Amino acid sequence: MSDIFREVDEEIRHERFKRLWDRFGPYLIALAVLIVVGTAAYRGWLYWRETQAQASGDVFVSATRLAEDGKFAEAEARLVELADAQGGYPTLAGMRAAALKAEAGDPAAAIAAFDAIADDGRKDPLLRDIARLRAGYLAMDLEDYAGATSRFEVLSGDDNAWRFLAREALALSAWKQEDAAAARRWIDGIVGQEGAPSDVVTRARTVLDLINAAEGKPDEEAKS
């Protein structure tokens, strides 16, 4: 008797599973196909990105080698090829092209190119800050203290990764303009500050010694 009940129970379960499969089976198959196709597409996309990145890297290296050989026009032409590249290559190419202008003897054009990158809100903030720093360094030789300040001061805040380099540049620019008070103020933002690179501190102390010497102050008095 128990065997009959067991057979009936199995038959009921079989019939129930059959009805569920008839109802949901096609959806399960479609879902499985979508998972397989989606996985293949994602892996294909990753491979394409990797291939594109490698190709962009090769172009960038080629442009760098051309620049090292003094072939600035050819190097810049290669960098133009990266305008629509993936990732940060377009910005890096723009920065390298700006540097080429300076190397070719046109610092004013280089400053304008770096400024354009620094002012582009679509670019990576870190790369924008680097472009602003590069423009500032070039501007120190071509523009007055105000021109340097407009680029460096925004980088001098306590939360900026480039603050010590920016403060050093501001101190040098102020010293160049014979503004000893401003130079001292920026040097104070370097010397004795936590996290300041040792080489930047050394250079800042050297500038401070030169300022003190020009003013006729002994080192011990200046340090006090």
Side-chain angles (χ1 to χ4, degrees):
M1 199 67 178
S2 59
D3 292 339
I4 295 176
F5 286 127
R6 188 181 303 110
E7 291 179 7
V8 171
D9 185 55
E10 290 177 357
E11 185 68 25
I12 293 173
R13 282 204 300 262
H14 177 74
E15 184 64 27
R16 186 178 299 165
F17 287 142
K18 185 177 182 303
R19 287 199 303 269
L20 288 172
W21 177 256
D22 291 342
R23 184 177 178 182
F24 298 109
Y27 298 105
L28 293 174
I29 293 173
L31 178 62
V33 171
L34 284 175
I35 291 173
V36 172
V37 172
T39 301
Y42 177 68
R43 291 188 177 278
W45 177 76
L46 288 178
Y47 175 76
W48 178 81
R49 284 289 298 269
E50 183 178 348
T51 302
Q52 290 293 105
Q54 184 175 355
S56 297
D58 291 342
V59 171
F60 192 85
V61 170
S62 173
T64 300
R65 288 174 177 168
L66 288 169
E68 290 172 351
D69 293 336
K71 301 176 181 178
F72 300 124
E74 294 178 39
E76 194 164 354
R78 291 242 65 187
L79 291 171
V80 170
E81 298 176 23
L82 297 175
D84 297 322
Q86 299 293 318
Y89 276 107
T91 305
L92 292 175
M95 292 176 64
R96 189 67 184 95
L100 287 177
K101 297 181 188 301
E103 293 173 25
D106 193 355
I111 291 173
F114 279 124
D115 281 342
I117 295 172
D119 295 336
D120 189 345
R122 297 169 299 177
K123 306 292 187 185
D124 181 273
L126 180 61
L127 295 179
R128 291 176 63 197
D129 281 352
I130 295 174
R132 189 172 285 109
L133 195 67
R134 295 291 301 276
Y137 282 138
L138 291 169
M140 288 176 67
D141 293 329
L142 294 183
E143 302 179 13
D144 57 13
Y145 177 60
T149 301
S150 66
R151 296 175 176 89
F152 288 125
E153 201 160 38
V154 69
L155 303 175
S156 65
D158 291 336
D159 59 344
N160 193 285
W162 309 105
R163 60 189 180 279
F164 294 115
L165 289 176
R167 293 170 187 174
E168 178 190 22
L170 285 162
L172 288 171
S173 185
W175 179 46
K176 181 180 177 182
Q177 295 297 316
E178 300 182 355
D179 188 345
R184 287 180 183 278
R185 185 172 66 251
W186 291 116
I187 289 172
D188 287 343
I190 300 172
V191 177
Q193 298 294 317
E194 183 179 357
S198 59
D199 56 335
V200 176
V201 173
T202 299
R203 292 195 297 267
R205 289 188 183 278
T206 300
V207 174
L208 184 58
D209 289 343
L210 292 172
I211 294 173
N212 292 333
E215 295 179 347
K217 294 181 179 181
D219 289 344
E220 290 304 319
E221 179 185 343
K223 289 177 182 178
S224 61

